[in-house]
């Protein structure tokens, strides 16, 4: 994609590519979610080949795993200060990773490993780190429903301009963590003008799941409290686990984005075992 960038009264035709690494399935998922012309300013190009498998998609040829993000939104890399380029690249990728995590509960964020800036008469490259592409062969769910593409742009736009939406995207796309989950739910509740316990009043959570999350976050060994504040009499097998917590938080964030952007993004899970605390209920 040719870009126009003006600097010191000189016009260059630029091509900027941020090369990314991750699970092969997740690289392909991003390419499905962000094709050229799908989201203004950014799209994903991959050498991976795949096909439809029912409603889902599957990688069929991983011989060429090179995947990169390109578009106008990559321009901040051009004048990035020394040492800041890798953080800028991660910020550019954050909304893409965040929306993909909302669209596919199995998605693992991709990471930037290098970038190329090409312009008429020259160019340069930068290296952020090394990544080994991985292959797992799971079904990819990001293209299972037309609404996932239809609602993509408004939500990614919001993640680029509203700090809380960007934070929610990073939390969803990051490693499971009780403290981070609790904090982002408190922030979302505050944005809605209620406390975390009142997320049910604004239709962002069901009471069974919310109570289950709070009990686990406050009493799990790696939860948000130290041992002195935990209830040692609780049966830990009855507490919500991190997989269930991630799905609960993903559903709250999705519904909150629905309030901000309109529409109702699909929240169904299409793989994985059954979850407790009413998390599989579509009511």
């Amino acid at each position: 994609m040719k870009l126009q960038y003006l600097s010191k009264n000189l016009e260059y035709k630029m091509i900027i590519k941020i090369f990314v690494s991750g699970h092969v399935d997740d690289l392909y998922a991003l390419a499905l979610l962000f094709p050229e012309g799908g989201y203004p300013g950014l799209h994903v190009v991959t050498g991976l080949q795949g096909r439809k498998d029912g409603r889902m998609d599957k990688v069929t040829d991983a011989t060429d795993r090179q995947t990169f993000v390109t578009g106008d939104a990559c321009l901040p890399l051009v004048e990035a200060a020394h040492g800041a380029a890798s953080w800028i690249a991660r910020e550019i990728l954050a909304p893409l990773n965040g929306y993909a995590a909302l669209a596919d509960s199995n998605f693992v964020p991709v990471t930037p490993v290098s970038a190329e800036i090409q312009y008429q008469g020259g160019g340069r490259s930068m290296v952020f780190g090394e990544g080994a592409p991985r292959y797992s062969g799971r079904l990819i769910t990001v293209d299972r429903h037309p609404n996932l593409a239809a609602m993509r742009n408004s939500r990614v736009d919001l993640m680029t301009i509203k700090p809380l939406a960007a934070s929610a995207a990073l939390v969803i796309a990051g490693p499971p963590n009780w403290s981070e989950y609790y904090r982002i739910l408190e922030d979302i509740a505050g944005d809605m003008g209620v406390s975390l316990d009142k997320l049910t009043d604004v239709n962002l959570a069901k009471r069974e799941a919310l109570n289950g999350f709070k009990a686990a976050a406050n009493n799990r060994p790696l939860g948000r409290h130290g041992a002195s504040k935990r209830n040692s009499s609780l049966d830990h097998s009855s507490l919500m686990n991190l997989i269930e917590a991630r799905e609960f938080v993903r559903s709250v964030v999705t519904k909150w984005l629905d309030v901000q952007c309109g529409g109702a993004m699909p929240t169904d899970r299409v793989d994985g075992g059954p979850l407790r605390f009413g998390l599989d209920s579509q009511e």
Side-chain angles (χ1 to χ4, degrees):
M1 179 178 180
K2 292 187 175 181
L3 311 175
Q4 299 295 322
Y5 181 75
L6 299 178
S7 178
K8 298 180 180 179
N9 298 319
L10 295 176
E11 185 178 273
Y12 299 99
K13 291 182 179 179
M14 283 196 166
I15 299 175
I16 304 174
K17 301 176 181 178
I18 302 174
F19 294 90
V20 295
S21 178
H23 287 287
V24 167
D25 303 320
D26 298 317
L27 297 172
Y28 190 66
L30 274 189
L32 288 174
L33 271 180
F34 295 94
E36 185 171 8
Y39 177 73
L42 283 175
H43 70 273
V44 178
V45 178
T46 187
L48 295 164
Q49 301 296 314
R51 63 172 173 80
K52 293 298 280 187
D53 189 330
R55 288 191 300 157
M56 272 65 89
D57 291 86
K58 188 172 186 177
V59 173
T60 56
D61 186 351
T63 304
D64 181 3
R65 301 179 180 184
Q66 186 178 85
T67 304
F68 60 86
V69 179
T70 188
D72 290 337
C74 297
L75 283 172
L77 277 177
V78 176
E79 295 185 344
H82 180 70
S86 64
W87 291 105
I88 291 174
R90 289 176 183 275
E91 288 179 353
I92 292 170
L93 290 176
L96 279 65
N97 277 327
Y99 189 73
L102 292 172
D104 183 343
S105 61
N106 285 317
F107 181 83
V108 178
V110 306
T111 56
V113 292
S114 64
E116 290 181 358
I117 301 173
Q118 304 169 5
Y119 50 85
Q120 187 174 356
R124 61 190 176 95
S125 61
M126 53 192 77
V127 177
F128 310 134
E130 296 183 359
R134 300 174 295 278
Y135 186 84
S136 62
R138 67 172 172 82
L139 290 177
I140 299 163
T141 68
V142 298
D143 200 35
R144 72 185 186 275
H145 195 294
N147 280 356
L148 292 172
M151 297 182 175
R152 172 196 57 221
N153 293 11
S154 61
R155 284 150 180 78
V156 175
D157 281 345
L158 185 69
M159 292 175 193
T160 63
I161 63 174
K162 185 167 183 172
L164 180 55
S167 296
L170 289 173
V171 169
I172 290 297
N177 181 289
W178 290 110
S179 295
E180 291 293 327
Y181 284 167
Y182 206 98
R183 188 177 300 116
I184 198 64
L185 291 183
E186 286 185 319
D187 288 344
I188 287 173
D191 185 72
M192 296 292 291
V194 298
S195 65
L196 185 147
D197 193 56
K198 300 296 184 181
L199 284 173
T200 54
D201 292 356
V202 289
N203 298 317
L204 296 189
K206 299 295 185 182
R207 176 54 61 186
E208 180 185 6
L210 179 58
N211 287 347
F213 171 80
K214 289 168 54 184
N218 291 328
N219 292 288
R220 282 285 189 183
L222 296 178
R224 56 191 291 265
H225 289 319
S228 64
K229 292 186 176 181
R230 298 181 202 138
N231 184 349
S232 59
S233 66
L234 287 175
D235 175 9
H236 278 223
S237 67
S238 68
L239 294 177
M240 182 178 284
N241 58 44
L242 271 172
I243 295 174
E244 292 164 331
R246 182 176 186 268
E247 186 63 20
F248 171 64
V249 176
R250 190 172 74 94
S251 69
V252 173
V253 172
T254 299
K255 291 181 176 65
W256 176 69
L257 290 173
D258 290 345
V259 173
Q260 307 298 306
C261 301
M265 184 176 169
T267 58
D268 57 309
R269 289 191 317 124
V270 295
D271 51 14
L275 300 179
R276 301 171 297 169
F277 305 98
L279 292 171
D280 285 332
S281 174
Q282 296 298 309
E283 296 180 359

